Amino acid sequence: EVYTVDMEAQRPTYADFDGQFEMIGVDLWTPQQVCAGDEVQVSMTWQVTNQPERYYNTFLQLLTPDQTTRLAGIDAQPHSDRPTVEWGVQGMLNLGDVLTLTVPVDAEPRRYLLVNGFYDVETSERLPVFGADGSRLPGDYALLSEVEVVGC
């Protein structure tokens, strides 16, 4: 089967999730300017570096610019048909499901940060996240994009 790829949505990015897998791409299926009440849709691509031995869920959140308040968020299995323990061997690519979160109808017009991370399903402990330079990222999540809520 042949698929058409919308390269307009692709945003190269990188984050290392505790040496188990790396985020190598983000597809933002929503304009970076949205109205309160709109949906933000994102999918991510990960590459296995070491086969995960635990079940992890992913979270997608919209945070205030100072990263102190969560405006919206969802938690999900990153791929509905394949848990992380089945992601395969080193080098294997895993295309995540499209994740959708809804901007609250009372959201203030301003810029927000769209972030992604993982946590252990059994312990709720977040996976450490490292940037391209090897430094650990604060909050143990990766910045995917800015999203601006505008007055509509």
Side-chain angles (χ1 to χ4, degrees):
E1 191 168 336
V2 176
Y3 295 95
T4 302
V5 176
D6 179 3
M7 295 308 289
E8 290 294 316
Q10 175 68 30
R11 298 182 191 307
T13 192
Y14 176 86
D16 174 354
F17 290 87
D18 200 28
Q20 297 183 55
F21 43 89
E22 300 169 338
M23 179 190 311
I24 59 170
V26 174
D27 294 316
L28 185 61
W29 302 104
T30 306
Q32 287 182 281
Q33 289 188 334
V34 297
C35 299
D38 282 355
E39 293 182 338
V40 175
Q41 295 186 314
V42 179
S43 59
M44 290 150 281
T45 303
W46 298 280
Q47 184 169 20
V48 175
T49 50
N50 287 296
Q51 171 61 52
E53 295 180 2
R54 304 205 40 95
Y55 289 88
Y56 296 107
N57 273 355
T58 190
F59 61 87
L60 183 66
Q61 298 175 345
L62 271 180
L63 303 178
T64 54
D66 62 6
Q67 302 179 38
T68 60
T69 305
R70 185 178 75 171
L71 177 71
I74 61 165
D75 293 42
Q77 187 170 296
H79 189 288
S80 57
D81 294 334
R82 188 180 319 155
T84 54
V85 295
E86 296 176 11
W87 273 16
V89 297
Q90 183 177 2
M92 183 168 283
L93 296 179
N94 289 277
L95 306 176
D97 292 340
V98 174
L99 301 177
T100 303
L101 59 84
T102 302
V103 177
V105 295
D106 60 351
E108 293 181 34
R110 67 188 297 184
R111 289 188 181 274
Y112 295 92
L113 304 177
L114 183 64
V115 301
N116 170 251
F118 282 81
Y119 62 91
D120 187 301
V121 172
E122 288 182 28
T123 67
S124 296
E125 184 177 336
R126 286 188 179 183
L127 270 179
V129 183
F130 300 89
D133 65 357
S135 63
R136 189 167 178 176
L137 301 180
D140 287 326
Y141 49 73
L143 175 63
L144 304 182
S145 178
E146 289 188 352
V147 175
E148 184 177 8
V149 175
V150 295
C152 296

PDB file of all heavy atoms in Angstrom, residues 14-40:
ATOM      1  N   TYR A  14      14.340  16.201  18.058  1.00  0.00           N
ATOM      2  CA  TYR A  14      15.101  15.109  18.649  1.00  0.00           C
ATOM      3  C   TYR A  14      14.958  15.162  20.159  1.00  0.00           C
ATOM      4  O   TYR A  14      15.067  16.220  20.772  1.00  0.00           O
ATOM      5  CB  TYR A  14      16.589  15.198  18.288  1.00  0.00           C
ATOM      6  CG  TYR A  14      17.391  14.122  18.974  1.00  0.00           C
ATOM      7  CD1 TYR A  14      17.525  12.872  18.407  1.00  0.00           C
ATOM      8  CD2 TYR A  14      17.982  14.347  20.216  1.00  0.00           C
ATOM      9  CE1 TYR A  14      18.234  11.860  19.046  1.00  0.00           C
ATOM     10  CE2 TYR A  14      18.693  13.353  20.866  1.00  0.00           C
ATOM     11  CZ  TYR A  14      18.810  12.109  20.274  1.00  0.00           C
ATOM     12  OH  TYR A  14      19.499  11.117  20.913  1.00  0.00           O
ATOM     13  N   ALA A  15      14.723  14.014  20.746  1.00  0.00           N
ATOM     14  CA  ALA A  15      14.761  13.840  22.194  1.00  0.00           C
ATOM     15  C   ALA A  15      15.069  12.377  22.466  1.00  0.00           C
ATOM     16  O   ALA A  15      14.560  11.491  21.782  1.00  0.00           O
ATOM     17  CB  ALA A  15      13.434  14.231  22.835  1.00  0.00           C
ATOM     18  N   ASP A  16      15.921  12.127  23.444  1.00  0.00           N
ATOM     19  CA  ASP A  16      16.315  10.778  23.849  1.00  0.00           C
ATOM     20  C   ASP A  16      15.581  10.428  25.136  1.00  0.00           C
ATOM     21  O   ASP A  16      15.760  11.104  26.148  1.00  0.00           O
ATOM     22  CB  ASP A  16      17.828  10.742  24.060  1.00  0.00           C
ATOM     23  CG  ASP A  16      18.332   9.416  24.618  1.00  0.00           C
ATOM     24  OD1 ASP A  16      17.519   8.536  24.962  1.00  0.00           O
ATOM     25  OD2 ASP A  16      19.552   9.268  24.728  1.00  0.00           O
ATOM     26  N   PHE A  17      14.749   9.416  25.066  1.00  0.00           N
ATOM     27  CA  PHE A  17      13.972   8.978  26.226  1.00  0.00           C
ATOM     28  C   PHE A  17      14.727   7.857  26.938  1.00  0.00           C
ATOM     29  O   PHE A  17      14.538   6.673  26.659  1.00  0.00           O
ATOM     30  CB  PHE A  17      12.568   8.557  25.798  1.00  0.00           C
ATOM     31  CG  PHE A  17      11.733   9.736  25.370  1.00  0.00           C
ATOM     32  CD1 PHE A  17      11.777  10.193  24.071  1.00  0.00           C
ATOM     33  CD2 PHE A  17      10.944  10.413  26.280  1.00  0.00           C
ATOM     34  CE1 PHE A  17      11.034  11.290  23.672  1.00  0.00           C
ATOM     35  CE2 PHE A  17      10.203  11.518  25.898  1.00  0.00           C
ATOM     36  CZ  PHE A  17      10.254  11.960  24.592  1.00  0.00           C
ATOM     37  N   ASP A  18      15.633   8.264  27.818  1.00  0.00           N
ATOM     38  CA  ASP A  18      16.395   7.390  28.706  1.00  0.00           C
ATOM     39  C   ASP A  18      17.169   6.288  27.976  1.00  0.00           C
ATOM     40  O   ASP A  18      17.321   5.179  28.479  1.00  0.00           O
ATOM     41  CB  ASP A  18      15.470   6.780  29.766  1.00  0.00           C
ATOM     42  CG  ASP A  18      16.238   6.277  30.979  1.00  0.00           C
ATOM     43  OD1 ASP A  18      17.322   6.828  31.269  1.00  0.00           O
ATOM     44  OD2 ASP A  18      15.766   5.326  31.630  1.00  0.00           O
ATOM     45  N   GLY A  19      17.630   6.592  26.769  1.00  0.00           N
ATOM     46  CA  GLY A  19      18.427   5.619  26.027  1.00  0.00           C
ATOM     47  C   GLY A  19      17.634   4.443  25.483  1.00  0.00           C
ATOM     48  O   GLY A  19      18.216   3.498  24.955  1.00  0.00           O
ATOM     49  N   GLN A  20      16.299   4.500  25.568  1.00  0.00           N
ATOM     50  CA  GLN A  20      15.466   3.401  25.074  1.00  0.00           C
ATOM     51  C   GLN A  20      14.910   3.681  23.684  1.00  0.00           C
ATOM     52  O   GLN A  20      14.849   2.792  22.851  1.00  0.00           O
ATOM     53  CB  GLN A  20      14.324   3.123  26.049  1.00  0.00           C
ATOM     54  CG  GLN A  20      14.843   2.663  27.404  1.00  0.00           C
ATOM     55  CD  GLN A  20      13.738   2.318  28.350  1.00  0.00           C
ATOM     56  OE1 GLN A  20      12.883   1.492  28.030  1.00  0.00           O
ATOM     57  NE2 GLN A  20      13.731   2.951  29.509  1.00  0.00           N
ATOM     58  N   PHE A  21      14.513   4.914  23.460  1.00  0.00           N
ATOM     59  CA  PHE A  21      14.039   5.313  22.140  1.00  0.00           C
ATOM     60  C   PHE A  21      14.217   6.817  21.996  1.00  0.00           C
ATOM     61  O   PHE A  21      14.324   7.554  22.974  1.00  0.00           O
ATOM     62  CB  PHE A  21      12.583   4.903  21.878  1.00  0.00           C
ATOM     63  CG  PHE A  21      11.648   5.136  23.017  1.00  0.00           C
ATOM     64  CD1 PHE A  21      10.986   6.345  23.165  1.00  0.00           C
ATOM     65  CD2 PHE A  21      11.418   4.147  23.959  1.00  0.00           C
ATOM     66  CE1 PHE A  21      10.139   6.557  24.228  1.00  0.00           C
ATOM     67  CE2 PHE A  21      10.549   4.344  25.018  1.00  0.00           C
ATOM     68  CZ  PHE A  21       9.911   5.567  25.155  1.00  0.00           C
ATOM     69  N   GLU A  22      14.289   7.243  20.749  1.00  0.00           N
ATOM     70  CA  GLU A  22      14.495   8.643  20.427  1.00  0.00           C
ATOM     71  C   GLU A  22      13.327   9.152  19.605  1.00  0.00           C
ATOM     72  O   GLU A  22      12.865   8.454  18.697  1.00  0.00           O
ATOM     73  CB  GLU A  22      15.781   8.812  19.611  1.00  0.00           C
ATOM     74  CG  GLU A  22      17.018   8.338  20.331  1.00  0.00           C
ATOM     75  CD  GLU A  22      18.237   8.247  19.441  1.00  0.00           C
ATOM     76  OE1 GLU A  22      18.077   8.141  18.193  1.00  0.00           O
ATOM     77  OE2 GLU A  22      19.357   8.277  19.974  1.00  0.00           O
ATOM     78  N   MET A  23      12.859  10.347  19.933  1.00  0.00           N
ATOM     79  CA  MET A  23      11.875  11.009  19.082  1.00  0.00           C
ATOM     80  C   MET A  23      12.654  11.647  17.950  1.00  0.00           C
ATOM     81  O   MET A  23      13.588  12.421  18.182  1.00  0.00           O
ATOM     82  CB  MET A  23      11.112  12.086  19.849  1.00  0.00           C
ATOM     83  CG  MET A  23      10.090  12.799  18.982  1.00  0.00           C
ATOM     84  SD  MET A  23       9.376  14.254  19.779  1.00  0.00           S
ATOM     85  CE  MET A  23       8.922  13.631  21.366  1.00  0.00           C
ATOM     86  N   ILE A  24      12.306  11.294  16.718  1.00  0.00           N
ATOM     87  CA  ILE A  24      13.047  11.827  15.577  1.00  0.00           C
ATOM     88  C   ILE A  24      12.179  12.680  14.667  1.00  0.00           C
ATOM     89  O   ILE A  24      12.674  13.257  13.707  1.00  0.00           O
ATOM     90  CB  ILE A  24      13.723  10.698  14.775  1.00  0.00           C
ATOM     91  CG1 ILE A  24      12.687   9.701  14.252  1.00  0.00           C
ATOM     92  CG2 ILE A  24      14.786  10.007  15.615  1.00  0.00           C
ATOM     93  CD1 ILE A  24      13.253   8.695  13.266  1.00  0.00           C
ATOM     94  N   GLY A  25      10.892  12.764  14.960  1.00  0.00           N
ATOM     95  CA  GLY A  25      10.012  13.592  14.141  1.00  0.00           C
ATOM     96  C   GLY A  25       8.683  13.837  14.809  1.00  0.00           C
ATOM     97  O   GLY A  25       8.206  13.032  15.603  1.00  0.00           O
ATOM     98  N   VAL A  26       8.115  14.980  14.485  1.00  0.00           N
ATOM     99  CA  VAL A  26       6.812  15.377  15.005  1.00  0.00           C
ATOM    100  C   VAL A  26       5.985  15.868  13.825  1.00  0.00           C
ATOM    101  O   VAL A  26       6.465  16.657  13.011  1.00  0.00           O
ATOM    102  CB  VAL A  26       6.953  16.517  16.041  1.00  0.00           C
ATOM    103  CG1 VAL A  26       5.598  17.027  16.477  1.00  0.00           C
ATOM    104  CG2 VAL A  26       7.761  16.060  17.236  1.00  0.00           C
ATOM    105  N   ASP A  27       4.760  15.407  13.743  1.00  0.00           N
ATOM    106  CA  ASP A  27       3.818  15.905  12.744  1.00  0.00           C
ATOM    107  C   ASP A  27       2.742  16.679  13.486  1.00  0.00           C
ATOM    108  O   ASP A  27       1.997  16.114  14.290  1.00  0.00           O
ATOM    109  CB  ASP A  27       3.176  14.761  11.955  1.00  0.00           C
ATOM    110  CG  ASP A  27       4.189  14.017  11.107  1.00  0.00           C
ATOM    111  OD1 ASP A  27       5.012  14.682  10.462  1.00  0.00           O
ATOM    112  OD2 ASP A  27       4.154  12.780  11.094  1.00  0.00           O
ATOM    113  N   LEU A  28       2.678  17.974  13.234  1.00  0.00           N
ATOM    114  CA  LEU A  28       1.664  18.838  13.828  1.00  0.00           C
ATOM    115  C   LEU A  28       0.584  19.033  12.772  1.00  0.00           C
ATOM    116  O   LEU A  28       0.801  19.708  11.770  1.00  0.00           O
ATOM    117  CB  LEU A  28       2.288  20.171  14.252  1.00  0.00           C
ATOM    118  CG  LEU A  28       1.390  21.145  14.991  1.00  0.00           C
ATOM    119  CD1 LEU A  28       0.878  20.535  16.297  1.00  0.00           C
ATOM    120  CD2 LEU A  28       2.144  22.438  15.281  1.00  0.00           C
ATOM    121  N   TRP A  29      -0.571  18.413  12.992  1.00  0.00           N
ATOM    122  CA  TRP A  29      -1.647  18.385  12.008  1.00  0.00           C
ATOM    123  C   TRP A  29      -2.597  19.563  12.178  1.00  0.00           C
ATOM    124  O   TRP A  29      -3.651  19.600  11.560  1.00  0.00           O
ATOM    125  CB  TRP A  29      -2.415  17.067  12.107  1.00  0.00           C
ATOM    126  CG  TRP A  29      -1.522  15.888  11.915  1.00  0.00           C
ATOM    127  CD1 TRP A  29      -1.055  15.045  12.879  1.00  0.00           C
ATOM    128  CD2 TRP A  29      -0.947  15.431  10.690  1.00  0.00           C
ATOM    129  NE1 TRP A  29      -0.235  14.088  12.332  1.00  0.00           N
ATOM    130  CE2 TRP A  29      -0.151  14.305  10.987  1.00  0.00           C
ATOM    131  CE3 TRP A  29      -1.019  15.874   9.372  1.00  0.00           C
ATOM    132  CZ2 TRP A  29       0.557  13.612  10.017  1.00  0.00           C
ATOM    133  CZ3 TRP A  29      -0.310  15.178   8.406  1.00  0.00           C
ATOM    134  CH2 TRP A  29       0.465  14.054   8.725  1.00  0.00           C
ATOM    135  N   THR A  30      -2.221  20.502  13.012  1.00  0.00           N
ATOM    136  CA  THR A  30      -3.049  21.645  13.348  1.00  0.00           C
ATOM    137  C   THR A  30      -2.233  22.905  13.095  1.00  0.00           C
ATOM    138  O   THR A  30      -1.022  22.905  13.356  1.00  0.00           O
ATOM    139  CB  THR A  30      -3.430  21.577  14.849  1.00  0.00           C
ATOM    140  OG1 THR A  30      -4.032  20.316  15.110  1.00  0.00           O
ATOM    141  CG2 THR A  30      -4.383  22.674  15.249  1.00  0.00           C
ATOM    142  N   PRO A  31      -2.850  23.984  12.636  1.00  0.00           N
ATOM    143  CA  PRO A  31      -2.084  25.239  12.529  1.00  0.00           C
ATOM    144  C   PRO A  31      -1.534  25.641  13.895  1.00  0.00           C
ATOM    145  O   PRO A  31      -2.084  25.274  14.932  1.00  0.00           O
ATOM    146  CB  PRO A  31      -3.126  26.255  12.053  1.00  0.00           C
ATOM    147  CG  PRO A  31      -4.268  25.458  11.531  1.00  0.00           C
ATOM    148  CD  PRO A  31      -4.236  24.142  12.234  1.00  0.00           C
ATOM    149  N   GLN A  32      -0.455  26.403  13.902  1.00  0.00           N
ATOM    150  CA  GLN A  32       0.138  26.827  15.164  1.00  0.00           C
ATOM    151  C   GLN A  32      -0.667  27.943  15.826  1.00  0.00           C
ATOM    152  O   GLN A  32      -0.384  28.304  16.956  1.00  0.00           O
ATOM    153  CB  GLN A  32       1.591  27.235  14.967  1.00  0.00           C
ATOM    154  CG  GLN A  32       2.477  26.021  14.733  1.00  0.00           C
ATOM    155  CD  GLN A  32       3.923  26.390  14.596  1.00  0.00           C
ATOM    156  OE1 GLN A  32       4.355  26.838  13.546  1.00  0.00           O
ATOM    157  NE2 GLN A  32       4.662  26.218  15.670  1.00  0.00           N
ATOM    158  N   GLN A  33      -1.662  28.459  15.143  1.00  0.00           N
ATOM    159  CA  GLN A  33      -2.614  29.389  15.745  1.00  0.00           C
ATOM    160  C   GLN A  33      -3.970  28.716  15.769  1.00  0.00           C
ATOM    161  O   GLN A  33      -4.447  28.239  14.742  1.00  0.00           O
ATOM    162  CB  GLN A  33      -2.700  30.694  14.956  1.00  0.00           C
ATOM    163  CG  GLN A  33      -1.478  31.558  15.088  1.00  0.00           C
ATOM    164  CD  GLN A  33      -1.688  32.921  14.460  1.00  0.00           C
ATOM    165  OE1 GLN A  33      -2.490  33.084  13.556  1.00  0.00           O
ATOM    166  NE2 GLN A  33      -0.959  33.909  14.944  1.00  0.00           N
ATOM    167  N   VAL A  34      -4.564  28.652  16.955  1.00  0.00           N
ATOM    168  CA  VAL A  34      -5.856  27.995  17.126  1.00  0.00           C
ATOM    169  C   VAL A  34      -6.765  28.888  17.966  1.00  0.00           C
ATOM    170  O   VAL A  34      -6.305  29.820  18.630  1.00  0.00           O
ATOM    171  CB  VAL A  34      -5.715  26.610  17.805  1.00  0.00           C
ATOM    172  CG1 VAL A  34      -4.900  25.658  16.947  1.00  0.00           C
ATOM    173  CG2 VAL A  34      -5.105  26.740  19.188  1.00  0.00           C
ATOM    174  N   CYS A  35      -8.045  28.561  17.959  1.00  0.00           N
ATOM    175  CA  CYS A  35      -9.026  29.259  18.783  1.00  0.00           C
ATOM    176  C   CYS A  35      -9.297  28.426  20.040  1.00  0.00           C
ATOM    177  O   CYS A  35      -9.113  27.204  20.028  1.00  0.00           O
ATOM    178  CB  CYS A  35     -10.345  29.414  18.025  1.00  0.00           C
ATOM    179  SG  CYS A  35     -10.192  30.369  16.506  1.00  0.00           S
ATOM    180  N   ALA A  36      -9.732  29.092  21.093  1.00  0.00           N
ATOM    181  CA  ALA A  36     -10.185  28.369  22.278  1.00  0.00           C
ATOM    182  C   ALA A  36     -11.281  27.403  21.835  1.00  0.00           C
ATOM    183  O   ALA A  36     -12.131  27.736  21.017  1.00  0.00           O
ATOM    184  CB  ALA A  36     -10.708  29.345  23.319  1.00  0.00           C
ATOM    185  N   GLY A  37     -11.214  26.155  22.329  1.00  0.00           N
ATOM    186  CA  GLY A  37     -12.176  25.126  21.950  1.00  0.00           C
ATOM    187  C   GLY A  37     -11.734  24.269  20.776  1.00  0.00           C
ATOM    188  O   GLY A  37     -12.318  23.219  20.517  1.00  0.00           O
ATOM    189  N   ASP A  38     -10.690  24.694  20.049  1.00  0.00           N
ATOM    190  CA  ASP A  38     -10.185  23.913  18.919  1.00  0.00           C
ATOM    191  C   ASP A  38      -9.415  22.690  19.411  1.00  0.00           C
ATOM    192  O   ASP A  38      -8.999  22.610  20.560  1.00  0.00           O
ATOM    193  CB  ASP A  38      -9.239  24.750  18.051  1.00  0.00           C
ATOM    194  CG  ASP A  38      -9.955  25.723  17.134  1.00  0.00           C
ATOM    195  OD1 ASP A  38     -11.208  25.701  17.082  1.00  0.00           O
ATOM    196  OD2 ASP A  38      -9.254  26.532  16.485  1.00  0.00           O
ATOM    197  N   GLU A  39      -9.195  21.767  18.493  1.00  0.00           N
ATOM    198  CA  GLU A  39      -8.375  20.583  18.778  1.00  0.00           C
ATOM    199  C   GLU A  39      -6.967  20.793  18.233  1.00  0.00           C
ATOM    200  O   GLU A  39      -6.777  21.438  17.204  1.00  0.00           O
ATOM    201  CB  GLU A  39      -8.983  19.338  18.130  1.00  0.00           C
ATOM    202  CG  GLU A  39     -10.305  18.929  18.738  1.00  0.00           C
ATOM    203  CD  GLU A  39     -10.865  17.677  18.107  1.00  0.00           C
ATOM    204  OE1 GLU A  39     -10.494  17.341  16.949  1.00  0.00           O
ATOM    205  OE2 GLU A  39     -11.678  17.018  18.765  1.00  0.00           O
ATOM    206  N   VAL A  40      -5.992  20.237  18.940  1.00  0.00           N
ATOM    207  CA  VAL A  40      -4.603  20.204  18.489  1.00  0.00           C
ATOM    208  C   VAL A  40      -4.272  18.739  18.253  1.00  0.00           C
ATOM    209  O   VAL A  40      -4.455  17.905  19.140  1.00  0.00           O
ATOM    210  CB  VAL A  40      -3.663  20.812  19.554  1.00  0.00           C
ATOM    211  CG1 VAL A  40      -2.210  20.653  19.139  1.00  0.00           C
ATOM    212  CG2 VAL A  40      -4.008  22.275  19.804  1.00  0.00           C
TER     213      VAL A  40
END
